[in-house]
């Protein structure tokens, strides 16, 4: 007779471990989130060798009594009440009830915890209880995890190098610090402090502690809401962009979320303010009714599905666009020279003495956490949060720039009472043209004119179909197009804003763009796209010598632009040397 065997809990734990625990950072994540839930004010994570040699999490939270301490190693044990919000929590953050038993089934897991009276010390090895004794009576919890995956060699080989494991953990702790600015987080690797936040409760100060003063100075506060959403946090000015997306950090109801639609809205908000290959530093929390969040799409990947996402996207995109427009400043040449790119590196700016032994399986805890915590509370980072200065984008509009000349056939030199300016003639004209085209396209005030010689254009089948499909849109922006035989069209009227003498070339360009973009045709995006392409193609190139009058005209037009500071590809149009910068460079002033 066939027998049905019930899978042992230990095996189930090991299998679950495969889903919950992929990296050292997943262990850290589960443990630190438990510490957060336990109401800790100070959480210290100590690693050996990026976590490969051991992970220790020390908190000053509520701790557990002996019963709970034993229970937390049982599958599906969770001390949390299940209400809707908790359900969201459970779903987004993983298999809460399974985390500890899973980790304990594939490691040497040492738990010291105390909720106020008698402490417990419990050790599991590969899922087997090996120690259950009275432990330290310090309130809070200390968990040490060593020999991760020692009994599942197949998993073991998926662990990355110490450096990349550390990198994941650094990112994780930084993000948690942003989500919980009231909690002090300390991350130590091989006795060096890598991340340290004071738990001041001030998000901007936390940003300063994580990213440093340069980034902090370039952050703009964002607060916007409608009936369904409340978005708050900070976004960066284009001065401190990053080359990867890891610094777009978003929370939904304070839970870390990676959502493509939200990222897209942020990126769209920065459209034309930054190059496509650069990404902003953004830390945003979105508060919304939990019923608008569907958390069941990806338990480990931190993704969620959001109802009314289009509204949320609009809210984020338009607010970012407005804030950037209001806060832009001329690039200062000297500031750019002096401040090196604060690209991500593990930050070792400060080191503090660490009086902890990284030992397990030996004598009782030698780590005096209270002392350590007190140390940190008085530990002064010596960095004040810089004052937020709001600069309205009127600086340039009131300026008159006087051209001095052109150098290298590309850069206009200009001056006024405040200093010297260098301008990229292509970028300048591109900005001017872009705004003109975009406005014309958006406002639909497209006075059509009949083409003197109607232009016939032969296309291939796909292009032809794409044009026919979007013929109404083309009409709306000023083109009267008719079918003219097989795969051929005739353009009878075109908008007035096409550059004279280049009409045919530009019409072909626009039709090309329509054909290429047919899959995801979004008129607003498309208008921007046409405007950028036309602007670039119709602007003076480098190595073309323009006259003094032309320079004057360009400068006057530039200062009237909505965003005079960068071209629509996000490159700067203008760089400033203040008189003070120059005096400093020539050592007329010494500080
Ligand atoms: Zn260009
Ligand atoms: Zn450009």
């Amino acid at each position: 007779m066939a027998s049905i065997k019930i899978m042992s809990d230990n095996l189930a734990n090991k299998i679950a471990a495969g889903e919950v625990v992929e990296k050292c950072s997943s262990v850290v994540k589960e443990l630190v989130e438990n510490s957060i839930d336990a109401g800790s004010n100070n959480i210290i994570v100590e690693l050996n060798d990026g976590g490969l040699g051991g992970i220790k999490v020390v908190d000053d939270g509520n701790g557990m009594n002996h019963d709970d301490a034993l229970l937390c190693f049982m599958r599906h044990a969770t001390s949390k009440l299940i209400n809707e919000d908790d359900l969201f929590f459970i779903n987004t953050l993983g298999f809460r009830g399974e985390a500890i038993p899973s980790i304990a089934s594939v490691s040497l897991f040492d738990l010291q915890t105390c909720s106020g009276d008698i402490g417990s010390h419990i050790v599991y090895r590969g899922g087997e209880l090996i120690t259950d004794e009275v432990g330290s009576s310090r309130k809070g919890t200390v968990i040490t995890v060593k020999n991760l995956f020692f009994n599942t060699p197949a998993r073991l080989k998926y662990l990355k190098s110490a450096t990349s494991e550390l990198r994941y953990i650094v990112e994780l702790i930084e993000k948690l610090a942003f989500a919980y600015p009231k909690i002090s987080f300390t991350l130590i690797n091989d006795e060096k402090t890598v991340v340290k936040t004071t738990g001041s409760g001030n998000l901007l100060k936390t940003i300063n502690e994580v990213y440093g003063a340069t980034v902090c100075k370039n952050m703009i506060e964002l607060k916007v809401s409608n009936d369904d959403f409340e978005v708050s946090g900070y976004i960066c000015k284009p001065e401190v962009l990053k080359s990867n997306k890891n610094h777009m950090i978003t929370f939904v109801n304070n839970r870390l979320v990676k959502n493509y639609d939200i990222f897209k809205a942020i990126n769209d908000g920065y459209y034309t303010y930054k190059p496509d290959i650069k990404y902003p530093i953004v830390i945003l929390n979105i508060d919304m009714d939990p019923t608008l969040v569907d958390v069941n799409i990806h338990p480990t990947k931190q993704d969620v599905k959001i109802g009314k996402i289009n509204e949320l996207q609009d809210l984020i995109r338009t607010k970012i666009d407005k804030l950037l427009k209001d806060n832009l400043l001329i690039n200062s040449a000297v500031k750019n020279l002096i401040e090196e790119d604060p690209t991500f590196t593990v930050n070792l700016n400060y080191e503090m003495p660490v009086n902890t032994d990284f030992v397990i399986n030996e004598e009782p805890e030698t780590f005096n956490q209270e002392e350590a915590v007190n140390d940190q509370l008085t530990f002064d980072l010596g960095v004040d949060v810089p004052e937020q200065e709001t600069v309205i984008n009127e600086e340039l509009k009131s300026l008159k720039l006087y051209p001095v000349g052109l150098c290298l056939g590309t850069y206009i030199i200009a001056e006024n009472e405040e200093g010297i300016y260098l301008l990229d003639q292509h970028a300048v004209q591109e900005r001017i043209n872009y705004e003109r085209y975009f406005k014309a396209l958006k406002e639909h005030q497209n006075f059509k004119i009949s083409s003197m010689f109607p232009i016939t254009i032969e296309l291939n089948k796909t292009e032809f179909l794409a044009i026919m499909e979007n013929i109404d849109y083309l009409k709306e922006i000023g083109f009267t197009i008719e079918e003219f035989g097989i795969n051929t069209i005739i353009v009878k009227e075109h908008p007035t804003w096409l550059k004279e003498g280049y009409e045919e070339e530009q019409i072909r360009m626009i039709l090309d763009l329509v054909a290429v973009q047919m899959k995801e045709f979004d008129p607003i995006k498309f208008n921007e796209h046409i405007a950028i392409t036309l602007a670039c193609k119709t602007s003076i190139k480098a190595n073309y010598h323009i006259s003094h009058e032309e320079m004057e005209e360009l400068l006057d037009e530039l200062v009237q632009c909505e965003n005079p500071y960068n071209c629509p590809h996000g490159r700067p149009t203008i760089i400033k040397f203040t008189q003070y910068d120059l005096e400093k460079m020539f050592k007329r002033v010494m500080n």
Side-chain angles (χ1 to χ4, degrees):
M1 202 178 113
S3 65
I4 298 166
K5 280 191 186 145
I6 294 180
M7 200 175 10
S8 77
D9 262 6
N10 197 9
L11 180 58
N13 285 336
K14 277 196 200 173
I15 292 171
E19 292 168 51
V20 183
V21 186
E22 300 166 309
K23 305 186 270 279
C24 295
S25 63
S26 7
V27 174
V28 174
K29 180 170 183 286
E30 296 296 341
L31 300 182
V32 171
E33 279 167 358
N34 281 336
S35 295
I36 293 169
D37 290 345
S40 309
N41 295 315
N42 294 279
I43 300 172
I44 302 168
V45 179
E46 285 179 61
L47 309 172
N48 268 3
D49 214 10
L52 297 174
I55 296 165
K56 179 170 170 178
V57 176
V58 182
D59 73 42
D60 59 353
N62 296 327
M64 289 180 272
N65 63 28
H66 185 246
D67 285 354
D68 285 347
L70 282 173
L71 199 64
C72 78
F73 288 94
M74 301 297 134
R75 262 169 84 70
H76 302 293
T78 171
S79 58
K80 293 172 192 72
L81 285 173
I82 307 285
N83 63 32
E84 204 162 71
D85 201 37
D86 284 341
L87 205 62
F88 168 53
F89 185 78
I90 288 166
N91 282 314
T92 23
L93 297 181
F95 307 77
R96 305 291 294 172
E98 295 180 13
I100 290 182
S102 300
I103 298 166
S105 72
V106 291
S107 67
L108 180 61
F109 192 106
D110 183 300
L111 168 70
Q112 284 269 9
T113 187
C114 176
S115 61
D117 43 16
I118 306 165
S120 310
H121 180 210
I122 294 167
V123 182
Y124 267 77
R125 187 175 180 279
E128 312 276 344
L129 176 69
I130 57 171
T131 307
D132 175 6
E133 61 184 19
V134 172
S136 143
S137 58
R138 187 193 68 82
K139 196 176 172 216
T141 302
V142 179
I143 291 173
T144 313
V145 174
K146 284 183 102 175
N147 304 342
L148 188 61
F149 297 133
F150 77 98
N151 54 353
T152 51
R155 287 261 143 211
L156 188 61
K157 64 170 192 263
Y158 285 109
L159 288 177
K160 303 259 168 53
S161 68
T163 349
S164 62
E165 292 289 339
L166 177 62
R167 195 165 53 83
Y168 288 123
I169 297 173
V170 170
E171 275 179 23
L172 169 75
I173 298 295
E174 289 177 349
K175 287 172 184 172
L176 288 170
F178 293 137
Y180 301 95
K182 283 186 183 155
I183 300 176
S184 158
F185 290 90
T186 306
L187 173 64
I188 297 162
N189 182 52
D190 294 334
E191 309 203 341
K192 282 198 183 100
T193 301
V194 185
V195 179
K196 169 97 184 83
T197 67
T198 47
S200 61
N202 178 333
L203 180 58
L204 191 61
K205 187 160 186 196
T206 311
I207 293 172
N208 191 5
E209 288 160 351
V210 170
Y211 283 110
T214 307
V215 167
C216 187
K217 259 189 293 186
N218 283 291
M219 297 305 278
I220 309 168
E221 189 172 15
L222 181 151
K223 258 199 172 92
V224 66
S225 60
N226 66 11
D227 289 347
D228 296 299
F229 305 102
E230 207 177 307
V231 187
S232 64
Y234 288 87
I235 66 167
C236 78
K237 294 183 192 168
E239 277 84 350
V240 289
L241 296 168
K242 296 281 187 182
S243 43
N244 63 58
K245 294 178 190 164
N246 291 343
H247 308 273
M248 291 156 76
I249 303 167
T250 50
F251 305 93
V252 168
N253 297 343
N254 268 325
R255 305 295 175 198
L256 188 60
V257 153
K258 280 187 180 169
N259 178 276
Y260 172 81
D261 297 320
I262 298 176
F263 283 3
K264 186 170 178 301
I266 294 171
N267 222 23
D268 286 351
Y270 276 87
Y271 192 60
T272 75
Y273 294 100
K274 66 170 187 61
D276 282 347
I277 50 160
K278 292 282 192 174
Y279 300 93
I281 302 169
V282 169
I283 297 154
L284 289 183
N285 180 48
I286 303 157
D287 270 321
M288 66 180 87
D289 186 336
T291 57
L292 278 179
V293 192
D294 179 3
V295 291
N296 286 316
I297 52 173
H298 235 309
T300 51
K301 295 279 189 279
Q302 303 162 350
D303 199 0
V304 293
K305 209 172 164 188
I306 295 166
K308 305 198 186 180
I309 184 70
N310 294 338
E311 275 180 36
L312 177 61
Q313 284 182 307
D314 273 356
L315 192 68
I316 293 176
R317 184 174 42 77
T318 39
K319 184 68 184 179
I320 291 179
D321 183 70
K322 167 136 193 11
L323 283 176
L324 290 173
K325 202 173 282 166
D326 290 348
N327 283 276
L328 285 170
L329 267 180
I330 303 177
N331 258 302
S332 158
V334 172
K335 205 180 82 201
N336 287 349
L337 287 176
I338 293 172
E339 285 165 4
E340 80 279 39
D341 177 25
T343 316
F344 174 86
T345 42
V346 173
N347 188 343
L348 295 173
N349 285 345
Y350 34 81
E351 265 182 45
M352 55 171 215
V354 180
N355 60 340
T356 57
D357 291 337
F358 207 95
V359 278
I360 176 174
N361 252 7
E362 280 175 23
E363 296 310 284
E365 274 307 316
T366 51
F367 179 73
N368 182 341
Q369 198 239 350
E370 251 147 55
E371 230 176 73
V373 168
N374 286 340
D375 262 12
Q376 285 146 24
L377 292 178
T378 54
F379 186 83
D380 185 8
L381 291 174
V383 191
D384 289 330
V385 178
E387 298 259 314
Q388 282 283 104
E389 35 172 319
T390 312
V391 185
I392 307 298
N393 181 20
E394 291 300 315
E395 188 193 11
L396 201 58
K397 293 208 168 71
S398 55
L399 286 186
K400 172 82 187 151
L401 301 176
Y402 303 94
V404 175
L406 188 75
C407 57
L408 305 175
T410 306
Y411 305 102
I412 301 169
I413 305 173
E415 68 165 342
N416 64 18
E417 44 301 335
E418 297 195 11
I420 297 178
Y421 301 82
L422 280 177
L423 300 100
D424 176 326
Q425 67 180 18
H426 174 74
V428 168
Q429 199 176 33
E430 198 174 50
R431 162 54 60 181
I432 297 165
N433 286 339
Y434 166 73
E435 291 196 4
R436 209 182 50 228
Y437 287 131
F438 187 63
K439 203 162 160 234
L441 284 160
K442 204 171 70 179
E443 291 176 354
H444 298 306
Q445 298 171 335
N446 301 297
F447 302 107
K448 292 179 202 181
I449 41 173
S450 305
S451 310
M452 269 204 285
F453 309 99
I455 303 158
T456 54
I457 296 176
E458 219 182 316
L459 303 154
N460 71 28
K461 191 80 198 164
T462 5
E463 289 167 343
F464 178 76
L465 290 174
I467 304 298
M468 284 322 197
E469 204 174 300
N470 293 299
I471 205 152
D472 291 342
Y473 165 77
L474 287 163
K475 193 173 181 75
E476 206 174 296
I477 61 170
F479 291 94
T480 305
I481 293 173
E482 282 169 21
E483 221 176 310
F484 192 71
I486 303 160
N487 295 342
T488 308
I489 53 166
I490 182 160
V491 183
K492 293 199 158 157
E493 288 173 313
H494 65 73
T496 47
W497 46 261
L498 291 183
K499 197 169 173 173
E500 250 183 83
Y502 297 87
E503 291 89 348
E504 182 165 351
E505 195 189 325
Q506 294 190 19
I507 290 170
R508 281 179 192 275
M509 198 191 304
I510 291 169
L511 295 181
D512 262 5
L513 288 173
V514 173
V516 172
Q517 299 244 325
M518 74 176 289
K519 274 192 211 109
E520 263 188 57
F521 198 81
D522 166 355
I524 296 180
K525 264 253 134 116
F526 184 69
N527 285 351
E528 280 175 342
H529 198 73
I530 297 185
I532 293 180
T533 313
L534 287 181
C536 186
K537 297 261 161 82
T538 54
S539 298
I540 8 153
K541 300 284 173 284
N543 291 314
Y544 178 85
H545 288 264
I546 55 173
S547 70
H548 201 84
E549 288 66 39
E550 285 172 304
M551 281 183 234
E552 233 164 33
E553 208 175 300
L554 274 182
L555 298 182
D556 289 346
E557 283 182 62
L558 179 70
V559 297
Q560 293 313 316
C561 281
E562 263 194 74
N563 167 12
Y565 306 105
N566 54 258
C567 86
H569 303 94
R571 289 197 294 111
T573 50
I574 179 166
I575 290 173
K576 177 181 183 179
F577 296 82
T578 63
Q579 194 167 355
Y580 178 73
D581 292 337
L582 294 166
E583 284 168 355
K584 234 162 98 175
M585 282 191 274
F586 287 101
K587 308 228 181 296
R588 285 168 167 266
V589 292
M590 297 301 276
N591 49 11

